Amino acid sequence: MENSAERECLELSHDGASVSVQTTLTFLLLAGALCTGLDFLVHKLPKERRLPISAVLFVSGAFVGTIVLDLIETETIPAIESHTSLGSKTILSGLRNAPFMDPHALFYILIPPLLFESSSTMSWHVLKKVLASSYLLAWPGVIVNTLTTGALVRWIVRLNGAAPSWEVSFLLAAVLSATDPVAVVATLRDIGAPAKLSTLIDGESLVNDGSGVVIMYLFQDMVMGSNAPEAAKNCPTTPLDMGCVIVYFIRIALGGTIIGIIGAYLLLLWIHISRSLHKSELETTLILVILYSTFFFAEGLGTSGVLATVTLGIFSAYFDLDRRLSREGRHSHHPILGQIAYICNLCTFFTSGLIAVRFMGQPHSCEHNFYSPQAWGEAAAMFAALHFSRALMVLIFSPVLRSLGYGLSVKEGLVLIFSGLRGAVALVMGMIIMSNEYIAAEIKQLLAFHISATVALTLLINGTLVGKLYSWLQVYPTSMYSGMYLKTFFQTLESDCRARGVYALSRHWFFQDVNFDTLMCCVPNFEYATFSAHFRSASPRGIHSVVDVMNSVSDFATANEWKSTLGVPSKQLWRSNFEGYWSQNHQACSTTFQDVLAGQPEILEQTDFMENVSCNQQLELVFEGGGGWYLSAQSMHHICKDKDVSFSMTCLYQANSNIILGLRADRQWPQTTLAVPGMLGQLTCDRSSVVIDCRAGTVYAEGQPRVNIGAAPEGAVLNVRLVTQEDSVTHVKFSWHTPDLQQNVNSDSIIAFGPHLLKHVFPVVQFVTTPPEEAEASEPQGGADATPTTARNRSKSVSGHMNQKALASVVPGFVPHLLADSERINGFFQRLFNILQAKYLHMFEKGLIGSQAYACLLEAVNNAMDSANHEINSMGVGRTATLQRSNSFACRCPPGTGAQDLELMDILEPLFIEFLYLEKELSKSSLLEKVAERFPVMKMFAYSRAMAKVEILWGFTEAHEDILQNQMFLVRFLPAVDCIQRLVETAKSDLSLLMGAMPHRVFMSKHGLALRILLYRRLQMLERAVASGKITSTEADGFANALQARVVRAGNFRPTRPWIPRWVPLFRRRALDSAEAWSAFKLPTN
């Protein structure tokens, strides 16, 4: 039984049974939200003033813990809980129970993702070389460290005026032997330290977490002594038997390692089976399931869950888990696991602060508490003793460490000694000891205080100073070549960025009046860089902030008194002229539509005429018997657009068939439908045709035989060349050749035909079945050099090209028109709008357009896609009369309501829907815009809407112009191309309208957009250099982070004081000086 003096040192009273799963999860949720906010605030600070996030979270957790413990002691929280709802009680219960959380909850929830993420993401090439050193420091090193630290604890620490027992001293030393250098590793990576050093430190920490727990449990059994039953001990013998200790070590070390290896093989097998499904969610879930199952299973079998999880991560790195995953899994599992580890890391350090305060915040009657000078003196001495014992451990094993892997220099050894931070694992072990009822309260309080004090001191001192120590020691020699190479590379990159950035942008039609000399003052110049130690990274210097530069642009616009160009004062513009102009703009859109109708009448709603002829997947015209006809719906004007006025066909026929092909003139086709079988008649007798009989080689024109050029053999390619004059055909020339060019007949005879307009001349083919005796009599000879071929051999050769039922087939030199344009254009619109969506998403993700502009552009494309898919309630522009009315949107009528056949307007309607929706949104004025027009001082609040309108029109024009220049599929639909070009011109005129309507806001929006484009193009070229291996990501991080941050700031900028009277002293701004990095820059005048 504990006496009254011991009860005074017990922790604050608390009912441990009330710490439910619900309150634990509630606390973790609150901790996650608070930690995220703190991380955001820390990263808002300048990098040189930024403290390690682990130290900030630890201090914040300690502050919150102090408040919570004070509220518990004064019974404030219970009083509040009695007057609140159930949801509020759950939150308050989570706060009240936070310092008294079950240590196993932290151990089982937060630790496994941290261990796996850290071990599995290491480079195996580096890890395999430092793994032996890590295990040497983590097992023999921890034992040496524990023994040395235990002796120093007995010499430094006092318990009731006397030295603690050896068992208590070694127990405290075992707990403090587990290192947690998260802050150190993060700092070393930030300053560009080589992976070998950070991997050695991190690898040692991962393994010694398991070894430290094993040694802690052994000495805990020794401290409990005979007071505890055998079932509560890991080695039940008292005193400890060495055989039991050895068996326990083997069971923990080998058992955890074997379970981790089994888990790794199960993970690889499971991923190998599931990767063919290409489901990234499934693969990531499998990793999480195996991760937690390995930890829980190892702990349930009495082995080390820490060692099992670390082994699982190491073997995942060995098997290269990324390579085993599917392409989708490789891109998703790292962000997901990284996010989980990030949250667990934040919550761990925050909770560590809470627990540390609980351990140290004991009553004043206790010997070791937060207010005891003696306790803090012991803690300071312990802090020095831990570094001494760690230095001794590194010195003892240094001969071996120098011969393993990469070796270990003296300076690396000093960084290794200083990186021995203590963190969450030590605090969790302290909580396990505090929950042990067989250890005296005063011993638990001594252990708890020194564990908490050591964690706090190492986090706040070592965690914040390790970067300065690394830079001061200059661990690795400076490479002059690296410095020279980086300087030369950045100079070359700067030249390329200027050529493709500011020089090209200054010639853009929209940005020609932008003041680039001022904008460049906040753009990072690659030639003006500040290099870190050893040239590990480079960051920009000599430039101004985005806010200062944009404010200078705003002052310039205000000083020049930008006014409306529409002939009315700016304050009356919205009420008098703005809405009228938009109504006229809709009229202009209707005029554009009429121009498209008049300029491109050839829309093919009729398909190719085929009778007893089919078209297979290889686009061959196949004839299977009887009489067959084919008449193309595409005129020669369409087929020969932008190329020679000619076409070719490859003829394949058997012995009892013949092919007659050529041209047919018809003024009515394809407007009329050839519905009567045999309407074409015999082409050799048709007075509107010029054809060639392939088997006989005779050319017929206007129903009369004209010339014989020789029979075309099987597989010959017939060429039909037209002689034209002013878009009319006057003569036709036929020729043929074999595919191997061994036979070539090029007749000099030119057959008169016409004159006929090219748009009235169409390719035509007739298939004829001939009797066998007639086929033998008309067997093609192919000239003197032709090789005789029997009908049987020809049939065998044809069977390789056609099926057994086909008698003949023709491979046209153009694509048959099997679908009407109204049907074919749906696929065209699907491709067009998919490309537009991708381009708008790219602009949004790169910060070129804001969320308002992106949402509007995306909605316009979605409405256009609904129209292209003929959705029943999709938007429609109606007929021409409807187009002439402003905001003319109607619902598409359901099928079967008497709608006329599709015309050109219906085919191009989705294009108009997209643009008209944008104009409708642009014509709207928000409440703030209306207020801004009445009260100029409020214009600053309407800037966002004006900027969004500029981004909408600019994004529309840029995306569509890029498609017109780079997408070849547009050539098939020339009316659509012409329509897009005219809509782009209309969008450009709308930008001019906006400039006249709200000159200051559009002027500022244009400069902000130009600045974002300049920054993005530099960032894009820098990323390409990293992707190509010219520089490393670490070397580019300084400039990349600066460019990304400035893109965001340029997009978030809002003019703050442009409309305040300039005579008010408070709002006067100092003139912006020329930036050092751009002092010699001058934009070329040409």
Side-chain angles (χ1 to χ4, degrees):
M1 296 294 296
E2 297 173 344
N3 54 34
S4 59
E6 290 178 330
R7 291 193 182 97
E8 292 180 355
C9 283
L10 287 175
E11 56 183 324
L12 294 172
S13 61
H14 178 264
D15 182 11
S18 63
V19 186
S20 63
V21 176
Q22 184 180 13
T23 56
T24 300
L25 295 178
T26 301
F27 163 73
L28 292 178
L29 177 62
L30 294 175
L34 183 58
C35 292
T36 304
L38 289 172
D39 192 22
F40 170 77
L41 294 177
V42 168
H43 282 84
K44 293 291 288 184
L45 297 173
K47 192 172 183 178
E48 57 275 6
R49 302 179 184 176
R50 197 178 300 168
L51 294 174
I53 185 61
S54 55
V56 174
L57 292 175
F58 183 85
V59 174
S60 302
F63 178 74
V64 173
T66 302
I67 297 176
V68 171
L69 291 175
D70 183 72
L71 294 177
I72 292 175
E73 189 175 8
T74 59
E75 299 185 356
T76 304
I77 291 183
I80 298 176
E81 286 181 343
S82 61
H83 298 86
T84 56
S85 61
L86 179 61
S88 301
K89 286 182 179 179
T90 303
I91 297 175
L92 291 173
S93 177
L95 287 174
R96 178 167 57 87
N97 296 319
F100 306 95
M101 289 178 60
D102 186 349
H104 296 89
L106 297 176
F107 201 59
Y108 281 77
I109 297 175
L110 301 180
I111 299 301
L114 291 175
L115 298 175
F116 180 78
E117 196 271 340
S118 182
S119 57
S120 63
T121 55
M122 293 181 183
S123 170
W124 175 249
H125 173 74
V126 179
L127 180 60
K128 68 182 179 181
K129 295 185 178 182
V130 302
L131 193 59
S133 301
S134 299
Y135 270 92
L136 180 66
L137 293 173
W139 281 105
V142 165
I143 295 175
V144 171
N145 198 9
T146 301
L147 296 176
T148 306
T149 305
L152 294 175
V153 167
R154 183 171 171 81
W155 180 54
I156 295 173
V157 177
R158 289 292 176 267
L159 179 62
N160 296 326
S165 64
W166 285 105
E167 293 85 356
V168 174
S169 301
F170 287 130
L171 177 59
L172 178 58
V175 172
L176 297 181
S177 65
T179 59
D180 188 10
V182 175
V184 171
V185 173
T187 302
L188 292 177
R189 290 174 180 172
D190 288 341
I191 62 180
K196 63 177 183 179
L197 181 59
S198 58
T199 304
L200 174 62
I201 297 172
D202 207 4
E204 179 211 356
S205 169
L206 292 173
V207 182
N208 72 15
D209 285 344
S211 60
V213 172
V214 172
I215 298 175
M216 183 273 294
Y217 277 126
L218 289 176
F219 285 111
Q220 181 181 244
D221 291 348
M222 297 176 64
V223 172
M224 288 189 295
S226 59
N227 296 330
E230 294 183 355
K233 297 181 179 181
N234 294 282
C235 286
T237 59
T238 305
L240 289 179
D241 180 60
M242 287 304 298
C244 177
V245 172
I246 294 174
V247 171
Y248 176 70
F249 262 97
I250 294 175
R251 175 167 60 89
I252 295 295
L254 292 183
T257 303
I258 292 174
I259 292 175
I261 295 174
I262 295 174
Y265 276 99
L266 288 177
L267 176 61
L268 294 177
L269 177 62
W270 206 345
I271 287 178
H272 178 74
I273 296 173
S274 62
R275 65 176 296 181
S276 59
L277 300 176
H278 294 280
K279 288 184 64 66
S280 59
E281 300 86 354
L282 176 61
E283 293 174 329
T284 305
T285 304
L286 292 179
I287 295 174
L288 291 175
V289 169
I290 293 294
L291 162 62
Y292 277 103
S293 298
T294 301
F295 189 89
F296 278 49
F297 193 69
E299 289 290 329
L301 291 179
T303 62
S304 173
V306 174
L307 288 177
T309 306
V310 171
T311 305
L312 174 65
I314 291 175
F315 271 78
S316 298
Y318 169 71
F319 289 116
D320 195 359
L321 185 61
D322 285 351
R323 183 170 52 87
R324 308 280 179 161
L325 296 170
S326 64
R327 181 179 60 85
E328 296 82 358
R330 285 195 296 271
H331 291 288
S332 64
H333 96 281
H334 272 307
I336 294 175
L337 291 181
Q339 183 64 34
I340 294 175
Y342 166 77
I343 295 174
C344 292
N345 188 48
L346 296 183
C347 293
T348 298
F349 282 105
F350 183 80
T351 309
S352 300
L354 281 171
I355 298 171
V357 168
R358 169 199 164 192
F359 283 173
M360 292 187 294
Q362 297 298 323
H364 292 275
S365 58
C366 296
E367 187 175 2
H368 292 85
N369 60 70
F370 184 81
Y371 307 99
S372 172
Q374 175 191 345
W376 280 110
E378 294 177 359
M382 280 293 302
F383 178 76
L386 287 173
H387 285 78
F388 173 78
S389 61
R390 184 170 176 81
L392 182 61
M393 180 262 294
V394 171
L395 181 62
I396 291 174
F397 293 105
S398 59
V400 182
L401 292 175
R402 289 176 182 174
S403 62
L404 294 176
Y406 291 104
L408 187 73
S409 66
V410 175
K411 294 181 178 179
E412 289 175 336
L414 293 176
V415 175
L416 181 64
I417 294 169
F418 198 74
S419 63
L421 278 71
R422 275 65 175 178
V425 176
L427 288 171
V428 169
M429 289 191 288
M431 293 178 68
I432 294 174
I433 295 173
M434 291 290 288
S435 61
N436 193 321
E437 57 183 334
Y438 303 107
I439 299 178
E442 57 183 8
I443 295 177
K444 290 193 291 186
Q445 178 55 32
L446 180 146
L447 296 174
F449 176 84
H450 280 292
I451 293 172
S452 303
T454 302
V455 170
L457 291 175
T458 55
L459 275 177
L460 297 177
I461 298 176
N462 297 46
T464 56
L465 297 180
V466 66
K468 298 183 183 301
L469 176 66
Y470 179 87
S471 300
W472 178 72
L473 288 175
Q474 296 184 357
V475 181
Y476 301 102
T478 303
S479 174
M480 297 305 298
Y481 172 78
S482 298
M484 295 173 60
Y485 173 79
L486 281 181
K487 291 179 180 179
T488 304
F489 169 78
F490 281 127
Q491 289 175 359
T492 305
L493 184 62
E494 178 61 32
S495 300
D496 295 341
C497 287
R498 293 189 186 186
R500 302 181 185 181
V502 61
Y503 296 159
L505 197 63
S506 63
R507 296 189 295 268
H508 191 275
W509 60 270
F510 184 55
F511 300 109
Q512 290 180 352
D513 60 341
V514 168
N515 188 355
F516 286 101
D517 292 334
T518 302
L519 285 185
M520 295 302 291
C521 291
C522 66
V523 175
N525 188 335
F526 290 116
E527 293 181 348
Y528 279 76
T530 299
F531 294 94
S532 64
H534 318 297
F535 295 96
R536 300 293 181 186
S537 61
S539 55
R541 65 180 177 88
I543 55 176
H544 297 305
S545 67
V546 172
V547 175
D548 291 341
V549 169
M550 292 302 294
N551 281 330
S552 177
V553 174
S554 178
D555 292 341
F556 171 80
T558 305
N560 288 271
E561 297 182 354
W562 287 72
K563 295 182 178 180
S564 169
T565 59
L566 298 181
V568 296
S570 180
K571 65 174 60 178
Q572 300 177 8
L573 177 64
W574 195 272
R575 300 191 301 272
S576 61
N577 203 23
F578 192 78
E579 294 180 357
Y581 180 83
W582 279 109
S583 178
Q584 295 175 9
N585 196 45
H586 283 288
Q587 182 68 27
C589 186
S590 177
T591 304
T592 300
F593 165 73
Q594 297 291 351
D595 293 341
V596 173
L597 277 177
Q600 300 289 344
E602 191 179 6
I603 291 297
L604 301 181
E605 289 304 298
Q606 184 61 264
T607 59
D608 295 347
F609 174 79
M610 291 186 291
E611 182 178 327
N612 293 336
V613 176
S614 61
C615 185
N616 59 21
Q617 294 182 350
Q618 287 74 33
L619 299 180
E620 297 175 348
L621 303 176
V622 181
F623 167 64
E624 298 180 356
W629 289 268
Y630 168 82
L631 179 61
S632 175
Q634 304 176 81
S635 67
M636 293 303 299
H637 173 76
H638 185 89
I639 294 175
C640 303
K641 188 72 174 177
D642 298 330
K643 62 181 180 180
D644 294 338
V645 186
S646 64
F647 72 96
S648 62
M649 289 188 177
T650 303
C651 301
L652 307 170
Y653 50 83
Q654 295 182 3
N656 58 342
S657 63
N658 189 18
I659 298 175
I660 301 171
L661 61 85
L663 299 171
R664 187 174 190 271
D666 193 334
R667 293 176 179 270
Q668 303 300 323
W669 176 257
Q671 283 71 27
T672 59
T673 303
L674 301 178
V676 181
M679 183 176 180
L680 292 175
Q682 187 68 23
L683 289 179
T684 56
C685 302
D686 187 8
R687 301 186 62 85
S688 300
S689 302
V690 55
V691 296
I692 180 173
D693 186 329
C694 294
R695 186 174 293 279
T698 304
V699 178
Y700 295 84
E702 298 177 350
Q704 300 296 326
R706 296 298 176 87
V707 67
N708 189 294
I709 66 172
E714 165 66 24
V717 179
L718 284 96
N719 300 309
V720 182
R721 182 173 297 276
L722 285 69
V723 179
T724 61
Q725 183 178 2
E726 295 181 356
D727 292 334
S728 296
V729 57
T730 58
H731 296 80
V732 179
K733 180 180 179 181
F734 290 90
S735 63
W736 61 262
H737 63 85
T738 56
D740 56 7
L741 298 180
Q742 293 183 359
Q743 295 177 265
N744 189 353
V745 174
N746 190 2
S747 174
D748 296 332
S749 301
I750 299 178
I751 311 302
F753 180 64
H756 300 287
L757 292 176
L758 286 174
K759 65 181 181 179
H760 294 155
V761 179
F762 305 89
V764 64
V765 181
Q766 182 179 8
F767 297 92
V768 181
T769 302
T770 59
E773 59 276 6
E774 183 179 343
E776 293 177 0
S778 60
E779 187 73 27
Q781 301 301 319
D785 298 332
T787 302
T789 305
T790 64
R792 179 179 300 178
N793 291 336
R794 185 181 298 109
S795 299
K796 290 181 179 180
S797 64
V798 173
S799 64
H801 301 279
M802 303 181 295
N803 55 50
Q804 296 296 330
K805 295 182 179 180
L807 296 178
S809 70
V810 169
V811 183
F814 54 88
V815 179
H817 192 69
L818 304 179
L819 294 174
D821 276 356
S822 58
E823 300 173 346
R824 188 193 301 261
I825 205 167
N826 286 338
F828 162 80
F829 280 135
Q830 189 72 27
R831 186 176 299 275
L832 173 66
F833 293 136
N834 284 339
I835 293 175
L836 285 175
Q837 284 182 332
K839 288 186 178 297
Y840 292 150
L841 178 61
H842 176 78
M843 292 178 182
F844 174 67
E845 289 181 341
K846 299 304 180 182
L848 301 182
I849 60 176
S851 57
Q852 293 186 51
Y854 174 66
C856 186
L857 289 167
L858 191 62
E859 185 64 20
V861 172
N862 289 334
N863 285 327
M865 292 184 71
D866 290 343
S867 176
N869 294 331
H870 301 287
E871 301 291 345
I872 293 178
N873 294 319
S874 63
M875 290 182 176
V877 295
R879 296 299 176 185
T880 306
T882 309
L883 261 177
Q884 295 175 356
R885 298 192 299 267
S886 60
N887 298 334
S888 54
F889 288 89
C891 289
R892 184 181 295 279
C893 298
T897 57
Q900 301 296 323
D901 293 338
L902 290 173
E903 297 178 358
L904 176 59
M905 183 192 64
D906 299 303
I907 294 176
L908 301 180
E909 186 178 50
L911 296 176
F912 288 97
I913 290 296
E914 180 195 9
F915 186 69
L916 287 176
Y917 178 85
L918 294 178
E919 286 207 325
K920 180 182 177 182
E921 294 298 316
L922 291 171
S923 65
K924 292 180 180 179
S925 57
S926 64
L927 178 62
L928 286 176
E929 287 180 302
K930 293 181 179 180
V931 173
E933 294 302 329
R934 287 184 174 272
F935 307 100
V937 74
M938 300 294 292
K939 286 186 178 180
M940 56 185 296
F941 299 105
Y943 175 77
S944 297
R945 180 66 178 168
M947 182 174 64
K949 291 180 178 180
V950 173
E951 292 172 350
I952 288 171
L953 290 173
W954 175 82
F956 177 87
T957 56
E958 285 295 305
H960 286 77
E961 284 184 336
D962 183 70
I963 288 177
L964 289 173
Q965 294 175 4
N966 302 317
Q967 302 298 330
M968 297 300 297
F969 73 93
L970 292 174
V971 177
R972 174 62 186 84
F973 300 94
L974 297 179
V977 173
D978 186 66
C979 181
I980 293 174
Q981 290 174 343
R982 293 175 183 272
L983 291 177
V984 168
E985 293 300 322
T986 307
K988 291 180 179 180
S989 66
D990 288 347
L991 278 170
S992 300
L993 161 73
L994 289 178
M995 190 64 186
M998 25 190 168
H1000 192 287
R1001 280 171 282 170
V1002 175
F1003 182 80
M1004 292 299 302
S1005 301
K1006 181 187 295 189
H1007 279 73
L1009 181 58
L1011 177 58
R1012 280 177 281 166
I1013 295 173
L1014 290 174
L1015 295 168
Y1016 162 68
R1017 290 185 179 178
R1018 287 175 171 265
L1019 178 61
Q1020 185 182 41
M1021 296 188 68
L1022 185 63
E1023 291 174 346
R1024 289 177 181 174
V1026 173
S1028 62
K1030 294 179 181 179
I1031 58 173
T1032 65
S1033 58
T1034 303
E1035 293 168 340
D1037 275 347
F1039 272 104
N1041 294 335
L1043 289 168
Q1044 289 172 347
R1046 288 171 182 268
V1047 169
V1048 175
R1049 290 169 188 165
N1052 295 335
F1053 173 78
R1054 302 293 181 271
T1056 53
R1057 300 185 293 267
W1059 296 283
I1060 301 296
R1062 279 170 284 170
W1063 50 265
V1064 180
L1066 181 62
F1067 298 103
R1068 290 179 183 172
R1069 273 194 288 259
R1070 183 175 58 86
L1072 190 67
D1073 298 330
S1074 176
E1076 177 187 356
W1078 298 99
S1079 58
F1081 173 77
K1082 186 176 181 181
L1083 191 66
T1085 55
N1086 53 348

